[in-house]
Amino acid sequence: MVNRRRAGLLRGTVYRVFYRLPRRMQRFLARRISPKYILGAVILLHDHDGSRLLLLRQPPGHGWGLPAGLIDRGEYPIDAAVRELAEETGVRLAGGTELVPASPNAVVHTSGRWVDVVFTANVDPDTTELTIDGAEVLDIEWHDLANLPPLTPASAKLLSHYGIGPYAESLGEPVSD
């Protein structure tokens, strides 16, 4: 009881001191002690009937993953998704019409401290030309949702939020990140 009371008094004192500091110093301290999260944009690109998913293999090539990348400072997530999809696969889609927010739109990976903003689209694989740059992407293929190849752990965990992949049965239970 005494320790809880001391902790409460100490916390109250720290807050009073903090709020008396100049606004610039408050921002500086808050940025230093607040947890940081990396923001990424991920694309679930399905074929026209939704039975297949476009996956890619990137260096070092241990498992298949989703088209994705980091969101640049000041960039809107939808713009990052459009950019990353074009860079990694050659597929150019219009954000907001062809590429739309998935549900859920954001997946928070608390132990890795990153947030993926997820978008989805359907295209016709017969008329969609895929390009591999050979540096960032080693291989691109359409895979049947019922028979996915070995996935990277991050992709498998993310796909579980959409009821897809090896962790899909744990939907509703937290999947450790």
Side-chain angles (χ1 to χ4, degrees):
M1 176 74 171
V2 173
N3 286 339
R4 287 171 99 194
R5 183 180 161 110
R6 283 185 186 161
L9 290 173
L10 178 60
R11 187 172 33 255
T13 302
V14 169
Y15 277 117
R16 280 191 297 280
V17 169
F18 178 80
Y19 286 114
R20 288 187 180 148
L21 293 172
R23 183 66 99 191
R24 194 172 180 180
M25 181 61 79
Q26 288 176 6
R27 264 188 258 122
F28 174 80
L29 289 173
R31 288 181 179 149
R32 292 286 182 246
I33 62 175
S34 296
K36 308 291 186 279
Y37 282 83
I38 295 171
L39 297 177
V42 180
I43 302 92
L44 303 177
L45 191 62
H46 295 274
D47 65 352
H48 57 285
D49 67 1
S51 65
R52 293 187 294 167
L53 185 66
L54 186 69
L55 297 174
L56 45 93
R57 226 171 25 88
Q58 294 178 293
H62 304 297
W64 290 81
L66 298 161
L70 296 178
I71 299 172
D72 293 333
R73 184 179 296 272
E75 185 177 33
Y76 288 104
I78 188 76
D79 296 335
V82 167
R83 175 179 51 78
E84 287 295 336
L85 185 63
E87 286 175 6
E88 294 182 352
T89 67
V91 176
R92 299 193 184 283
L93 296 177
T97 54
E98 295 175 292
L99 194 61
V100 297
S103 181
N105 184 228
V107 176
V108 179
H109 306 274
T110 53
S111 64
R113 288 200 174 165
W114 83 88
V115 177
D116 284 324
V117 183
V118 186
F119 297 91
T120 188
N122 291 69
V123 297
D124 183 353
D126 297 329
T127 60
T128 303
E129 185 178 334
L130 302 174
T131 57
I132 301 172
D133 67 6
E136 190 177 353
V137 176
L138 302 173
D139 199 7
I140 301 174
E141 290 181 15
W142 291 97
H143 291 276
D144 186 49
L145 290 174
N147 190 25
L148 292 175
L151 299 169
T152 63
S155 292
K157 289 172 189 172
L158 185 128
L159 286 171
S160 73
H161 293 275
Y162 303 94
I164 302 170
Y167 302 143
E169 66 276 355
S170 67
L171 192 63
E173 298 176 24
V175 176
S176 63
D177 290 322

